Amino acid sequence: MTGRSGLLAAGLMLAAAVLAGLDAVIVRLLAGEVHPLVIGFFRALFGLAAVLPWIRRVDLRASPWRWMHVLRAGLKLAALVAVFVAFAHAPLADAMALTFTMPLLVTLGAWVFLGESIGRARLLGALAGFGGVLIVVRPGAGFDPWLLFAFAGAVLTAAIQLMLRHMTHADTTQRLVAWNLIAMVPLGLLAAAAVWTTPSPAQLGLLALQGALGALNMTLITRAFALADVSFLAPLDFLRLPAVAILAWLVFAEVAPGSTWIGAGIIVAASLISLQAGKRQKNSSQERQRY
């Protein structure tokens, strides 16, 4: 990784963080007027429309995981809707902070369900991270039950990541992305049909913007990871918290309390410790295999 490519990758991650904050702001602006299931459908629809020219070049029939793609798309839709509910009702910075538990949940899920050895450092890091969750959620003292939806979104996203560990062995990244976007649209329409109200032109404009921002966000992150190492970029993903906190303050005069920053700091530190411990464990395993 050269200095220039690393700087460009960092800039792309910063831009992606701002887009993630704008996504949360759009959901809050639509709250109470457009049902989260309807938002989820249009997010999938406009996201698919934004990348349709690229998807047309992907051989979808070559994938061996057709029903698993549908299951993964259903979980992805549920995860999005859960986070949208949290963004609509809970403090935005708190909700964003809880989404950072996803890497910790993946670590624990790989240990419990896949039988992977995670080591003491990664396990302690995960437990410390959930201590940070308690600080953000503040059970018994100003507890906001809407935050549970953000945590549910993180759990569902972790389940998707565990599925992908299996699916990537026999499929390409391009087909995985394409199948996910295509399958989400009909699933989103079925889910939204029961609560359907047609958005106004202004609301449709915001929904279209959200879908385009989501597709651009995915493109920026994909490009960043092509330019730099995961160990360099992973910490930059946490820029989403200050980005959403600043936007929440500017748009809604919402100020994140100190407990949010303390808890989020613990979650971020725990995630980074888990990441570094996992990298050392992988390198150690590769070294042993050489001899």
Side-chain angles (χ1 to χ4, degrees):
M1 180 182 68
T2 65
R4 181 174 295 180
S5 63
L7 186 62
L8 176 58
L12 293 174
M13 291 297 289
L14 175 59
V18 174
L19 293 183
L22 290 172
D23 191 346
V25 167
I26 290 173
V27 172
R28 175 66 65 82
L29 290 172
L30 293 170
E33 299 178 355
V34 182
H35 195 280
L37 289 173
V38 178
I39 297 177
F41 163 67
F42 280 106
R43 169 65 175 270
L45 178 65
F46 287 120
L48 175 61
V51 298
L52 194 57
W54 166 75
I55 286 179
R56 293 174 61 185
R57 300 193 295 268
V58 179
D59 184 8
L60 298 173
R61 293 174 296 179
S63 176
W65 307 117
R66 298 188 182 185
W67 288 109
M68 287 190 69
H69 285 304
V70 175
L71 175 60
R72 185 168 69 94
L75 292 175
K76 177 65 174 178
L77 179 65
L80 280 175
V81 171
V83 173
F84 290 164
V85 171
F87 285 161
H89 298 283
L92 290 180
D94 287 2
M96 183 63 77
L98 291 188
T99 66
F100 294 154
T101 59
M102 187 274 291
L104 305 175
L105 292 165
V106 170
T107 297
L108 292 178
W111 176 46
V112 174
F113 298 108
L114 303 182
E116 293 186 9
S117 175
I118 64 173
R120 183 179 300 176
R122 295 179 73 188
L123 179 59
L124 291 176
L127 294 177
F130 291 112
V133 170
L134 293 178
I135 294 175
V136 173
V137 174
R138 300 182 295 277
F143 171 64
D144 188 344
W146 293 110
L147 288 174
L148 295 178
F149 283 90
F151 186 68
V155 171
L156 291 169
T157 304
I160 293 167
Q161 293 299 316
L162 294 174
M163 288 179 63
L164 284 173
R165 289 193 179 190
H166 178 63
M167 297 173 72
T168 51
H169 294 311
D171 217 337
T172 65
T173 301
Q174 291 81 2
R175 278 200 297 268
L176 289 168
V177 173
W179 264 102
N180 188 67
L181 289 171
I182 291 172
M184 278 181 65
V185 173
L187 291 176
L189 181 59
L190 286 174
V195 295
W196 185 266
T197 54
T198 302
S200 68
Q203 292 165 349
L204 276 175
L206 286 174
L207 290 167
L209 176 61
Q210 185 194 32
L213 291 178
L216 179 58
N217 190 314
M218 181 179 64
T219 301
L220 292 176
I221 292 175
T222 301
R223 178 59 178 160
F225 276 92
L227 291 171
D229 297 333
V230 174
S231 58
F232 171 73
L233 292 177
L236 299 179
D237 185 50
F238 298 111
L239 290 172
R240 288 182 292 144
L241 179 58
V244 77
I246 291 171
L247 288 170
W249 173 63
L250 290 174
V251 180
F252 306 111
E254 195 175 277
V255 179
S259 57
T260 298
W261 296 104
I262 294 171
I266 293 173
I267 294 171
V268 170
S271 298
L272 295 178
I273 290 171
S274 181
L275 174 68
Q276 292 301 318
K279 184 179 179 181
R280 288 195 299 269
Q281 186 177 355
K282 181 179 179 180
N283 291 339
S284 176
S285 176
Q286 290 175 344
E287 287 292 329
R288 288 195 300 269
Q289 290 175 2
R290 293 179 183 176
Y291 300 100

